Amino acid sequence: MPDYNRQATVYWWSVVMLGAVLLVVCLVMLAELGWSGWLQIAAALLLAMLAGLFPVRVPGSKNSFVVSEIFIFLLLLLQGPAAATLVASGEAAIGSYRTSKRWTSRIFSPAAGAITMASTAWIFEATLLALQSLGWTGAAPLLASSMLFAAMYFLVSAHLTSGVIRLKRSEPFFQGLAMVSVFRWVGMAYAGSAAVAALLFLTYQQSGASVLMVMVPLLCMLLVTLHFYFRQQESAAAVHEAHSEAVEREKLMLARESETAARHLRELQASERRFHAAFTHASIGMALLQFDGRILQANRALEALLGQPSGTLTQRLLLDFVVPEDLRDLVDQLGLTSDREFEGFTRELRCRHGEGHVVWASVHCSFFTEPGAEEPCLILQAQDISARRQAEAGLQHLAFHDGLTGLPNRRRFQDDLASAVARSRSPQGHPFALLFLDFDRFKLVNDSLGHGAGDELLIQVARRIHDHVRPGDTVARLGGDEFAIIARNVEHERHALVLAERVMHALRQPFQVAGAELTASASIGITFSAFGYETAEDMLRDADTAMYKAKASGKGRYAVFDASLHTAVSERLRLEGELRHAIEDGQLTVEYQPLFDLRDGRLDGFEALVRWRHPAGGTLAPSAFLPIAEETGQMLQVSDFVMHCACRQLRDWQRIDPSLAELSMSINVSADDLAHPSFVARVTRALVESGLRPQHLTLELTENILMSRIEGGLAALNQLRALGVKLAVDDFGTGYSSLSHLSKLPIDCLKIDRSFVHQLLRAPDDDAVVRAIIQLGGSLRKSVVAEGIESQAQMDQLRSMGCELGQGFHLSLPLSVQAASELLRHPRPGGNAALH
Ligand code: C2E
Ligand code: MG
Ligand code: MG
């Protein structure tokens, strides 16, 4: 009894025990019963059991009742309470066996049935006897007692059977009349059964057992008929109900469907209206197309995009508006639309605008089925992307062109060079030359005239180079002052050399920049695809190498690459790195080359010449490292070193020997020095620190430096001259200085270039030049120095021409400090022996 509480358990046991006792008592009481009595008991039990199989459904309700009790009540009237108790218990046992699987119920039900019947049957008998004893005879007391019996039977039975459940739920055991509302149908069935049983009994009493033999089967048949009739009614009602439900459902569905259809129609119409409104007023161009590209309908935005009057696009072919270059692709795409798998395409096309210009459009095309239309068509959306395309083209141009000159930049040039190299390696062979240009001393323009002027010069230079190449050639700016030219279809080396000459000549013509006249010179390195290059990088590297060679051999020249240059360039790169440390590590020294008065052999002064005592490479001449110092921006440091060293040295010598008080020191000034704003200050500092008087210092500037920097440097030179510093034009005669300029320059001395001295007595023209320079010096009241005197004959010639001063290996090599000091300590009487 898993779900039984204590009360329920006690109750259960009580009922079962009491029921068992009653059954035993009943059996004892029936001990004397004859076979006909037992036959009636068996018949009643059988009939009651059978009746239980045919419950009669109460029409219009969910309740049903069984009429087993008719037979049990009838047995009660025929055989008394003991027999009825036995049958009631048996019927309950069979009924519960059929309806319940719980053993507790199967035991409890017969016990409860026995108690109910026993208790009420005896009360019935007592009541009947009491009524009869009161003299009430006939059918009435029987019927009244039966009704009372039925009521009690109902109450006891209902309480007993539902008692277990109520106790389990801890509800009050006695329900009183509340039971009536719950079990009223059962009560009515009992009442009816009791009434029928009483009537049957009365009939039996009047007409004998044979009536029962007829009535009972009739009754059974009636009950069975009623059972099936109500079942049939029930199923008919169920069918009817199901049918009407189906009909209702169908009606509902139809109503919903028609409502849905109407809503769909409304939605469709609204969507169509929306589509047409969206189509017409869309800000992007839209059109419905046939599969061949014919326009069925176009909106205003598309008309505006193509520059066509309103309403004129219908029936036109979209292809008519596309530029020929993009037509093929569009035709191909439209051809694919017949394919089932076609999912649409997006393209960027150029279209011709009505006003003649080209419009870039991003076009998307896909299938479209117009509401109500049977056949699909194509829907096209077109957006004007001209602005974006222009911006992209601008960006593209920026990415591959130099912002200043508009020429292709290094990236673009490398691509072009790579494809030119590839083409040159093809069987047809497209030979070409690569020219690498680098401006000589371009940095000075920036430093002296400012970056604006530098930029301006670069723009003009770029234009000039561009104007002097052939149409198929490529000119690019690789950065800074580096330019490159791809000269195509160069069959012979000399074609490239002629081009280099032409470009150099063009660049030598003066430029008007920032109100000043500038000359530019470039060094050009040349190499040829015929050397069999595999990569653009290799070729560019060799042209660069050749350019360095051109620079090293005197600037303003061109040089053709040859393999030996590799070593020279790598040597140069090595020196570049080492020079920085050389200055810091004190590897630079100064040698002093004496200048003599050619008339009396007297020592006039020295020219300071820088040297690099290279730890591994021995003593390096200025030409080996000064260009590197210039390129790498270290020139000022070198100049400062020489200036301080030489000034201090001369001052020392003057202090040691007062007879040397009028000795002078010549120091070479580079273009970088003159261009630098602090030039005057640096010279002054060297003078102040050494204590040298300004008139004992001569600054030498080459003719080329003087001429190209004249505008920027003139003020500085005037300032220095005002201090008393002397100025000399070095390598005079090699440049392009005009005499009118020369007369205006604040200079004291002209130094005849050694190339003229070298040619003295060999080339009459050079004799004439030297003579003219000496005369010029005389007329402008400037002293004249002859450089590079290597022989007595040259010296004699110079003296005869009236040249006052001279220097050269014939007179003295450049000397170390010690050697120069020695010379000063022991001057040969009467000056240099070579002069006598
Ligand atoms: P420069 O100013 O014309 O100096 C004279 C050069 O001629 C020196 O060469 C000298 O050694 C050389 N020389 C002297 N006599 C003779 C001769 O009889 N025959 C030959 N063939 N050469 C002779 P160096 O020392 O190699 O200097 C070369 C150039 O380097 C100088 O030419 C000068 O322009 C520059 N330089 C030298 N030292 C300095 C310096 O400290 N600063 C600057 N800015 N430039 C310097
Ligand atoms: Mg010099
Ligand atoms: Mg010189």
Side-chain angles (χ1 to χ4, degrees):
M1 287 188 270
D3 55 343
Y4 277 52
N5 56 21
R6 204 180 120 69
Q7 289 172 308
T9 310
V10 170
Y11 173 73
W12 187 88
W13 276 109
S14 309
V15 170
V16 169
M17 296 307 291
L18 182 59
V21 170
L22 284 171
L23 284 174
V24 171
V25 170
C26 288
L27 282 171
V28 171
M29 287 172 71
L30 292 172
E32 302 295 314
L33 193 67
W35 66 271
S36 68
W38 281 109
L39 194 65
Q40 281 180 33
I41 288 172
L45 183 62
L46 182 68
L47 287 168
M49 200 187 70
L50 284 175
L53 297 178
F54 298 98
V56 177
R57 171 68 60 91
V58 180
S61 89
K62 289 212 163 36
N63 299 305
S64 58
F65 62 89
V66 287
V67 288
S68 319
E69 279 72 17
I70 293 176
F71 305 105
I72 300 168
F73 294 166
L74 187 57
L75 187 67
L76 169 67
L77 295 171
L78 289 171
Q79 292 295 336
T85 302
L86 211 59
V87 172
S89 174
E91 192 269 344
I94 294 163
S96 75
Y97 192 82
R98 223 169 15 92
T99 56
S100 173
K101 284 201 166 69
R102 293 170 66 117
W103 62 269
T104 46
S105 298
R106 286 178 178 181
I107 294 173
F108 182 84
S109 290
I115 294 169
T116 310
M117 182 51 84
S119 58
T120 51
W122 273 303
I123 291 172
F124 163 72
E125 270 201 338
T127 313
L128 187 59
L129 280 173
L131 289 174
Q132 283 171 346
S133 65
L134 288 172
W136 200 11
T137 52
L142 180 69
L143 283 170
S145 316
S146 296
M147 287 303 105
L148 180 69
F149 162 74
M152 287 193 307
Y153 190 85
F154 160 66
L155 282 174
V156 174
S157 164
H159 269 92
L160 276 182
T161 48
S162 61
V164 182
I165 297 164
R166 284 201 304 281
L167 288 174
K168 274 202 228 171
R169 293 182 193 158
S170 304
E171 288 172 5
F173 181 78
F174 290 104
Q175 294 286 305
L177 290 176
M179 281 298 199
V180 177
S181 65
V182 182
F183 295 103
R184 67 177 184 275
W185 281 106
V186 182
M188 294 207 15
Y190 286 163
S193 298
V196 172
L199 287 173
L200 282 174
F201 179 71
L202 287 171
T203 316
Y204 161 75
Q205 277 184 330
Q206 283 177 6
S207 312
S210 57
V211 177
L212 282 185
M213 303 293 265
V214 177
M215 287 299 285
V216 170
L218 266 176
L219 189 66
C220 289
M221 275 169 64
L222 178 71
L223 287 172
V224 172
T225 310
L226 270 176
H227 170 80
F228 284 109
Y229 172 74
F230 285 126
R231 280 266 301 265
Q232 197 187 357
Q233 285 288 96
E234 211 175 293
S235 49
V239 169
H240 179 73
E241 198 177 327
H243 180 253
S244 20
E245 259 178 38
V247 169
E248 278 304 311
R249 250 198 326 268
E250 205 166 323
K251 275 185 192 166
L252 204 68
M253 262 164 55
L254 276 173
R256 277 196 197 137
E257 268 171 24
S258 66
E259 195 184 314
T260 313
R263 199 175 63 238
H264 275 174
L265 192 65
R266 281 198 305 279
E267 280 172 6
L268 207 63
Q269 286 167 342
S271 124
E272 203 174 337
R273 275 198 306 280
R274 276 199 300 273
F275 169 75
H276 279 287
F279 184 90
T280 313
H281 302 292
S283 60
I284 61 166
M286 290 177 84
L288 298 179
L289 304 178
Q290 285 179 353
F291 288 97
D292 61 353
R294 193 167 293 283
I295 298 171
L296 297 169
Q297 198 181 345
N299 72 351
R300 280 178 224 144
L302 189 66
E303 289 164 355
L305 191 149
L306 297 174
Q308 298 299 319
S310 177
T312 55
L313 285 180
T314 312
Q315 290 308 313
R316 298 276 308 271
L317 273 174
L318 176 71
L319 303 174
D320 290 346
F321 297 98
V322 177
V323 300
E325 294 88 334
D326 295 345
L327 206 53
R328 182 75 266 142
D329 185 35
L330 183 61
V331 169
D332 289 350
Q333 289 301 323
L334 286 174
L336 295 177
T337 53
S338 54
D339 194 336
R340 282 180 176 279
E341 304 288 301
F342 175 75
E343 284 183 348
F345 64 85
T346 303
R347 284 287 179 283
E348 296 198 347
L349 304 168
R350 279 162 291 178
C351 299
R352 251 195 315 271
H353 190 270
E355 289 170 7
H357 60 269
V358 167
V359 187
W360 270 102
S362 168
V363 167
H364 178 78
C365 193
S366 56
F367 272 136
F368 177 71
T369 310
E370 208 181 353
E374 283 169 15
E375 286 288 307
C377 57
L378 296 173
I379 186 160
L380 173 119
Q381 289 155 289
Q383 213 163 356
D384 188 341
I385 53 162
S386 304
R388 196 198 82 203
R389 276 289 187 156
Q390 267 167 19
E392 277 172 5
L395 281 178
Q396 179 89 350
H397 192 272
L398 274 183
F400 290 103
H401 288 79
D402 170 41
L404 183 67
T405 60
L407 292 178
N409 63 8
R410 182 179 280 271
R411 268 169 73 187
R412 171 71 188 277
F413 180 76
Q414 274 168 338
D415 290 351
D416 285 5
L417 185 60
S419 48
V421 168
R423 271 162 60 86
S424 73
R425 298 178 65 78
S426 68
Q428 299 85 10
H430 293 274
F432 69 96
L434 174 63
L435 286 79
F436 193 110
L437 279 82
D438 187 285
F439 279 82
D440 301 327
R441 300 195 189 89
F442 175 78
K443 201 167 121 9
L444 293 177
V445 180
N446 275 341
D447 289 348
S448 57
L449 298 179
H451 286 268
D455 288 353
E456 179 59 36
L457 179 63
L458 283 173
I459 294 167
Q460 292 192 32
V461 158
R463 206 172 298 145
R464 227 177 253 187
I465 300 174
H466 192 262
D467 291 347
H468 285 81
V469 299
R470 289 169 305 169
D473 297 345
T474 303
V475 181
R477 180 177 174 219
L478 303 188
D481 58 349
E482 290 177 354
F483 291 80
I485 303 170
I486 298 174
R488 294 175 209 274
N489 298 320
V490 171
E491 300 289 348
H492 300 287
E493 228 181 66
R494 68 187 148 78
H495 290 154
L497 306 188
V498 168
L499 174 65
E501 289 282 4
R502 200 165 63 221
V503 169
M504 283 195 308
H505 178 75
L507 296 178
R508 261 188 234 116
Q509 307 312 307
F511 291 92
Q512 293 297 328
V513 174
E517 194 173 85
L518 292 181
T519 52
S521 89
S523 302
I524 303 180
I526 307 171
T527 192
F528 298 92
S529 65
F531 293 171
Y533 289 104
E534 288 186 4
T535 66
E537 288 73 29
D538 288 352
M539 198 169 181
L540 199 60
R541 182 204 57 213
D542 285 357
D544 192 23
T545 304
M547 187 276 293
Y548 270 109
K549 180 185 164 195
K551 262 204 195 300
S553 52
K555 303 196 166 96
R557 295 157 195 241
Y558 66 79
V560 176
F561 175 78
D562 74 77
S564 65
L565 287 179
H566 269 312
T567 347
V569 168
S570 48
E571 170 75 358
R572 186 191 156 92
L573 288 174
R574 193 172 53 77
L575 283 183
E576 252 182 50
E578 290 173 348
L579 182 60
R580 213 170 295 281
H581 303 289
I583 300 169
E584 293 160 9
D585 297 351
Q587 291 174 13
L588 296 188
T589 59
V590 181
E591 287 192 347
Y592 301 93
Q593 189 176 32
L595 269 84
F596 292 99
D597 192 320
L598 296 182
R599 291 163 300 189
D600 55 9
R602 190 181 47 83
L603 180 68
D604 185 76
F606 292 93
E607 177 175 4
L609 297 163
V610 69
R611 300 288 181 262
W612 179 0
R613 295 252 163 81
H614 191 275
T619 302
L620 300 182
S623 57
F625 64 93
L626 287 189
I628 300 175
E630 269 186 3
E631 299 285 335
T632 56
Q634 300 177 83
M635 195 62 211
L636 297 190
Q637 281 168 275
V638 176
S639 296
D640 280 350
F641 166 76
V642 174
M643 207 140 54
H644 282 265
C645 204
C647 290
R648 220 180 301 122
Q649 189 58 56
L650 179 62
R651 185 67 196 122
D652 286 353
W653 284 326
Q654 288 175 341
R655 278 207 196 101
I656 293 166
D657 186 350
S659 70
L660 303 176
E662 290 311 311
L663 269 189
S664 70
M665 181 64 75
S666 294
I667 294 174
N668 294 285
V669 170
S670 71
D672 286 6
D673 292 316
L674 186 56
H676 205 273
S678 68
F679 180 50
V680 178
R682 287 166 46 231
V683 175
T684 315
R685 197 182 317 132
L687 288 170
V688 171
E689 278 181 19
S690 62
L692 191 71
R693 287 163 61 198
Q695 58 266 38
H696 294 135
L697 176 66
T698 304
L699 296 177
E700 293 187 9
L701 298 111
T702 66
E703 193 183 355
N704 286 335
I705 295 176
L706 262 181
M707 288 303 128
S708 56
R709 303 287 143 237
I710 193 66
E711 304 284 342
L714 196 59
L717 295 181
N718 279 322
Q719 272 177 278
L720 288 170
R721 191 114 182 291
L723 284 173
V725 175
K726 295 198 179 98
L727 300 173
V729 186
D730 205 352
D731 303 344
F732 190 75
T734 54
Y736 301 92
S737 46
S738 67
L739 290 180
S740 61
H741 254 121
L742 204 58
S743 59
K744 288 182 217 151
L745 285 174
I747 48 175
D748 308 273
C749 173
L750 303 176
K751 287 187 84 171
I752 306 171
D753 188 69
R754 64 174 177 268
S755 59
F756 299 108
V757 176
H758 190 68
Q759 292 297 320
L760 276 180
L761 304 167
R762 295 188 203 173
D765 283 356
D766 285 343
D767 274 24
V769 172
V770 172
R771 195 181 302 276
I773 295 172
I774 294 169
Q775 281 172 4
L776 180 71
S779 60
L780 293 173
R781 283 195 289 281
K782 300 182 194 304
S783 61
V784 177
V785 182
E787 287 185 310
I789 305 170
E790 290 184 350
S791 69
Q792 187 64 38
Q794 288 165 356
M795 198 180 67
D796 292 342
Q797 180 71 358
L798 287 163
R799 284 165 92 178
S800 71
M801 287 173 173
C803 186
E804 300 159 15
L805 297 161
Q807 74 183 94
F809 294 164
H810 180 64
L811 299 167
S812 171
L813 291 173
L815 304 170
S816 64
V817 179
Q818 294 77 17
S821 304
E822 189 64 22
L823 173 74
L824 291 171
R825 263 199 302 276
H826 306 290
R828 295 185 182 210
N832 192 304
L835 291 159
H836 296 286

